[in-house]
Amino acid sequence: MYNFNSGPAVLPAEVLQQASEAVLNFNNIGLSVLEIGHRTDWFVNVLEESKSLVKELMHLDESYEVLYLHGGATTQFMQVPLNLLDEDETAAYCDNGIWGSKAIKEAKLFGNVHIACSSKDQNHTYIPKELSVPQHAKYLHYTTNNTVEGTQWHFIPEANVPLVADMSSDIFSCEFPFSKFSLIYAGAQKNAGAAGVTIVVIKKGILGKVKRTIPTILDYRNHIDAKSLLNTPPVFAIFVSLLTLRWIKKEGGLKEMEKRTHQRADLFYETLDSLSVLEGKADRQDRSLMNATFLAKTPELEKLFLEECKQNGMVGVKGHRSVGGLRVSMYNAMPLSSVQALCDLMKTFDEKYS
Ligand SMILES: *Cc1c(COP(=O)(O)O)cnc(C)c1O
């Protein structure tokens, strides 16, 4: 199958191989990875290697802490303001897509939200270039890549306040100045492993400044003190994330991922722009290199296109249920040959129906 799913998504074949071997016999110890205790040296080594690989790939120093947490990126929508924003304070948020809007909704439960910019007027099909960030804002939050709408920030927003980013769908896809950020979070199931765990990277100095009492399990400081072992972590999901990070490093790190990201996206968009029955949805300059959204000229053509994809073993081509249309996700583990196969199908489809 050609897997264009948006998440959970394609993983490297060797990661799947190694993960399945470990389900039967982890590191030749005679136990399954599903059976080992989370406080054993076996698992503590998995966790520590994973966290140090995240730091290494991101070029982060000792002022940062890496956490592996439960609850998906969606829990971070709430956990970020709970830990960083007091009731009488303001945080700035960019309103550029469905995920960002959900983050805004949660932040409003904890303090004031100032909308720094919005692309709502055009159904989030572009990235605004002008932002207004109050000087007193506790932080600026944005979604680096809008998975559903197919747009991506190709620049870092200017702000004199700490930056917080949801990088769920483009983390590790290219070299990036991660150290400009105070908090980064990403559900692992798009570009960094399997579902069930969220990577959270925190500059420790931003914590401990709110007045409210934070429930134990939601206070980042407790997770830092417990080294991500406050309670039983999702052992298997963290193990798959470790295998994925090892694979990224072995293939050449983020430099190589960036090269491949551009190769895939260039091939896809060049093909798309040459066709007459399919067309892109997002503004060209803001197009996502990970999730490409597009439309067929008519609803009938969309149906026919999805049918042809299905017949050719291509899955995950339907757009998100909230916006419709078509979408293909091209994460790190997607081989260029899969994008080539899709592009060949698109060209044939276009010749047949244009
Ligand atoms: C998928 C996604 C989410 C939601 O992740 P969950 O792990 O399902 O909570 C949030 N933000 C972005 C940018 C995403 O792509």
Side-chain angles (χ1 to χ4, degrees):
M1 301 282 271
Y2 299 97
N3 185 358
F4 294 99
N5 278 322
S6 58
V10 59
L11 282 166
E14 62 186 76
V15 166
L16 298 178
Q17 184 66 40
Q18 291 161 356
S20 52
E21 281 163 14
V23 166
L24 296 175
N25 187 1
F26 173 71
N27 277 359
N28 271 322
I29 63 171
L31 293 173
S32 165
V33 66
L34 305 176
E35 300 174 311
I36 57 172
H38 60 290
R39 299 192 192 277
T40 59
D41 284 348
W42 296 317
F43 181 68
V44 169
N45 290 338
V46 166
L47 188 57
E48 290 307 315
E49 186 187 342
S50 275
K51 293 200 281 191
S52 78
L53 274 172
V54 169
K55 266 195 175 175
E56 185 183 329
L57 291 169
M58 291 186 164
H59 300 294
L60 298 176
D61 63 25
E62 291 312 302
S63 63
Y64 285 88
E65 197 71 42
V66 178
L67 299 175
Y68 272 100
L69 302 182
H70 295 278
T74 303
T75 296
Q76 295 310 307
F77 296 162
M78 162 272 283
Q79 200 167 357
V80 166
L82 178 68
N83 280 265
L84 303 184
L85 183 65
D86 256 328
E87 239 174 287
D88 54 353
E89 294 176 327
T90 299
Y93 275 74
C94 299
D95 174 20
N96 299 134
I98 280 179
W99 295 119
S101 306
K102 290 184 193 244
I104 289 167
K105 182 173 169 238
E106 298 304 301
K108 283 179 176 166
L109 301 174
F110 300 98
N112 303 310
V113 171
H114 169 91
I115 303 299
C117 64
S118 174
S119 52
K120 227 178 183 168
D121 58 338
Q122 306 274 345
N123 288 326
H124 299 305
T125 50
Y126 72 104
I127 299 292
K129 307 300 177 293
E130 302 285 328
L131 276 77
S132 85
V133 181
Q135 264 176 355
H136 63 276
K138 287 299 287 291
Y139 59 86
L140 171 69
H141 176 284
Y142 77 112
T143 315
T144 50
N145 181 67
N146 295 297
T147 326
V148 172
E149 296 82 2
T151 62
Q152 188 173 20
W153 289 72
H154 297 301
F155 61 98
I156 312 281
E158 291 281 337
N160 288 322
V161 302
L163 287 175
V164 175
D166 176 359
M167 297 193 188
S168 291
S169 53
D170 65 350
I171 194 167
F172 305 135
S173 65
C174 51
E175 292 196 290
F176 196 79
F178 296 102
S179 61
K180 285 194 169 165
F181 291 76
S182 295
L183 197 151
I184 293 166
Y185 60 92
Q189 70 271 25
K190 276 131 189 178
N191 225 3
V197 75
T198 309
I199 298 171
V200 182
V201 174
I202 306 175
K203 199 165 176 103
K204 283 174 274 186
I206 60 160
L207 298 177
K209 294 183 179 164
V210 290
K211 296 189 284 282
R212 75 169 59 84
T213 311
I214 303 170
T216 310
I217 191 76
L218 294 175
D219 190 330
Y220 291 127
R221 291 171 301 178
N222 295 333
H223 288 281
I224 291 173
D225 291 346
K227 298 183 158 59
S228 284
L229 287 171
L230 189 58
N231 67 329
T232 315
V235 170
F236 187 59
I238 294 172
F239 178 65
V240 176
S241 176
L242 170 62
L243 297 176
T244 309
L245 297 172
R246 278 185 189 157
W247 176 84
I248 292 173
K249 184 177 172 180
K250 188 197 77 173
E251 294 293 303
L254 299 192
K255 196 168 175 211
E256 177 65 20
M257 293 303 120
E258 177 165 333
K259 194 180 111 199
R260 295 181 191 179
T261 292
H262 283 281
Q263 282 173 340
R264 287 186 300 259
D266 287 351
L267 173 61
F268 180 83
Y269 286 121
E270 272 166 31
T271 305
L272 181 66
D273 291 338
S274 72
L275 308 180
S276 56
V277 300
L278 299 173
E279 62 182 2
K281 267 177 94 173
D283 272 19
R284 272 180 204 226
Q285 57 179 344
D286 303 323
R287 281 171 165 175
S288 166
L289 304 178
M290 294 275 103
N291 314 92
T293 50
F294 54 111
L295 292 167
K297 278 271 152 72
T298 66
E300 292 72 37
L301 282 169
E302 181 180 306
K303 248 196 193 153
L304 283 167
F305 182 71
L306 285 170
E307 190 50 42
E308 293 219 1
C309 286
K310 198 172 157 194
Q311 277 166 14
N312 287 277
M314 295 175 183
V315 295
V317 185
K318 206 168 162 52
H320 190 268
R321 60 199 147 78
S322 62
V323 295
L326 301 159
R327 169 178 63 175
V328 292
S329 299
M330 303 173 282
Y331 298 120
N332 281 347
M334 160 97 20
L336 187 62
S337 57
S338 299
V339 180
Q340 185 64 62
L342 175 67
C343 288
D344 291 344
L345 181 139
M346 285 160 64
K347 278 192 237 163
T348 312
F349 183 81
D350 193 67
E351 279 159 21
K352 203 156 130 193
Y353 294 105
S354 66

